[in-house]
Amino acid sequence: MIEFLEAMQFWHWILLAIVLIAGEALGAAGFLLGAVMASLELALITYIWPDLTWQQQISLFAVLALLCSVWFWYRFKNFNQATNQPQLNDRAAQLIGGEFALTRAMKGGQGKMQVGDTLWRVESAVNYSAGTQVKVIGSRDMVLLVIKAGADTE
């Protein structure tokens, strides 16, 4: 093993980069990109300065991999956060402003309402009977806050 480490050349680092990018392609979700970049940088460094010892090469790889990983994280951390549909996965928020009929009578300010194929829990300051048209004015967790449809919201 020591003989292999002592014989390391730039093409070993290129081969490592290929193996790491293949691992990334299999689904590492970006975690290996810093190591890929570091191994390519180290291939260039060892091509320019071939007299680096294997200890120096591995130490340099560790430092470069850490720096490149932090750089990739910093550069792309907000990449998947920007959206033109911020309520895409917030079904309760999508229902705000909609008017629906209560499925069951409310008791103690709580009841149930069918919207599409989902039976939602609803809350209101006033109890309403089944079939009453209500308007969704907000949500708390997975509970819809409702008022009677046509009622003033102020």
Side-chain angles (χ1 to χ4, degrees), residues 91 95 100 113-120:
R91 183 74 173 121
L95 296 175
F100 308 95
M113 177 174 66
Q114 184 82 30
V115 178
D117 63 349
T118 306
L119 190 62
W120 289 86

Side-chain angles (χ1 to χ4, degrees), residues 2-41:
I2 295 295
E3 294 83 20
F4 172 75
L5 292 174
E6 288 174 346
M8 287 179 64
Q9 297 179 3
F10 74 94
W11 61 268
H12 288 102
W13 294 107
I14 293 173
L15 186 62
L16 178 62
I18 292 169
V19 169
L20 289 172
I21 200 73
E24 180 65 38
L26 292 174
F31 293 113
L32 297 177
L33 290 176
V36 169
M37 182 83 135
S39 61
L40 289 173
E41 290 171 354

Side-chain angles (χ1 to χ4, degrees), residues 31-146:
F31 293 113
L32 297 177
L33 290 176
V36 169
M37 182 83 135
S39 61
L40 289 173
E41 290 171 354
L42 198 56
L44 180 64
I45 291 169
T46 54
Y47 183 76
I48 295 170
W49 293 292
D51 57 342
L52 289 175
T53 66
W54 67 271
Q55 294 96 338
Q56 291 171 325
Q57 290 181 37
I58 290 178
S59 298
L60 194 54
F61 174 73
V63 170
L64 287 173
L66 182 65
L67 291 175
C68 290
S69 294
V70 169
W71 181 81
F72 271 106
W73 172 79
Y74 181 75
R75 178 77 170 89
F76 295 107
K77 69 181 174 181
N78 294 326
F79 181 74
N80 287 328
Q81 301 302 319
T83 179
N84 58 353
Q85 296 178 332
Q87 298 176 345
L88 180 63
N89 291 319
D90 189 356
R91 183 74 173 121
Q94 292 176 11
L95 296 175
I96 294 174
E99 294 185 8
F100 308 95
L102 282 177
T103 306
R104 299 183 187 156
M106 296 180 75
K107 294 179 187 171
Q110 297 184 349
K112 304 257 182 185
M113 177 174 66
Q114 184 82 30
V115 178
D117 63 349
T118 306
L119 190 62
W120 289 86
R121 288 183 40 217
V122 295
E123 286 184 3
S124 177
V126 179
N127 288 328
Y128 300 115
S129 61
T132 303
Q133 282 292 117
V134 293
K135 180 177 182 177
V136 179
I137 59 169
S139 67
R140 182 174 8 95
D141 299 324
M142 293 302 290
V143 178
L144 300 176
L145 307 175
V146 297

